[in-house]
Amino acid sequence: MKVSIKRTQAIVEGGLLSGIAVVLCWLSYFIFPLVFLCSLPFIFLSYKWNWKISTLSLLISLIILSLIINPLNTFLIFFPSGVIGVILGLGIKKNLSIGKLIFLGSFVNLILEIFIIFLSMIILKIPFEKAIGIDILKESYQNSFNFIQSFFKN
């Protein structure tokens, strides 16, 4: 009997924190600095319970957010934040040092960003230069060079 109560409590807390995460991400769509708070519910869930409950809560949040906002923006913005929250919560639960947590979060973020870049190249058929922003960088350098050169002509 006690095990089923614990499972029910974990599922209820997962649903509640999933709702909080949906509201935070929806608000961060309009108020950008709140995007940094979107991973907090998943940190709490994976710290208190386990990765299964927090991953299930993340998937439910992604489904609800893709219905509310936009599936592409949900996947590009909220998915990495949620995964980093789950990973950091597990790291805190295992008593990792702050340096290891920062390295782990940075490494997971790097892997997720590379995955999203390649996925956007495949699905949206974006060339590699546009996917990582090299074309914009070249254009801004050229515009800056032309702007500075115009000062010296006069």
Side-chain angles (χ1 to χ4, degrees):
M1 183 86 172
K2 200 168 199 175
V3 173
S4 65
I5 291 174
K6 285 276 192 189
R7 287 183 185 167
T8 305
Q9 184 180 1
I11 291 172
V12 168
E13 284 184 17
L16 180 66
L17 288 174
S18 178
I20 291 171
V22 166
V23 169
L24 280 174
C25 189
W26 180 72
L27 286 175
S28 72
Y29 193 71
F30 302 106
I31 306 168
F32 184 73
L34 290 178
V35 77
F36 299 112
L37 300 177
C38 289
S39 61
L40 281 179
F42 303 110
I43 292 174
F44 293 143
L45 268 178
S46 60
Y47 177 73
K48 184 170 183 181
W49 298 104
N50 55 15
W51 66 272
K52 294 176 186 176
I53 295 294
S54 54
T55 304
L56 181 66
S57 178
L58 174 64
L59 289 175
I60 298 299
S61 299
L62 287 174
I63 291 170
I64 293 172
L65 274 171
S66 65
L67 294 173
I68 293 174
I69 301 175
N70 181 359
L72 186 64
N73 285 342
T74 299
F75 186 73
L76 293 178
I77 296 172
F78 187 61
F79 176 70
S81 177
V83 171
I84 289 172
V86 171
I87 298 295
L88 288 179
L90 290 175
I92 293 170
K93 190 174 189 176
K94 292 184 179 185
N95 292 327
L96 294 179
S97 67
I98 300 235
K100 288 181 182 178
L101 285 174
I102 291 172
F103 176 76
L104 184 64
S106 301
F107 182 72
V108 169
N109 191 25
L110 176 69
I111 297 299
L112 287 171
E113 288 299 321
I114 291 171
F115 174 71
I116 287 173
I117 286 172
F118 283 124
L119 194 66
S120 65
M121 286 172 52
I122 292 169
I123 292 176
L124 301 175
K125 296 181 177 53
I126 298 174
F128 182 71
E129 286 186 347
K130 285 191 176 192
I132 61 173
I134 292 177
D135 61 335
I136 296 172
L137 188 66
K138 286 180 182 177
E139 182 181 341
S140 66
Y141 281 152
Q142 187 63 37
N143 288 342
S144 298
F145 181 73
N146 292 339
F147 182 70
I148 291 172
Q149 196 175 23
S150 69
F151 278 131
F152 293 112
K153 283 185 179 180
N154 294 330

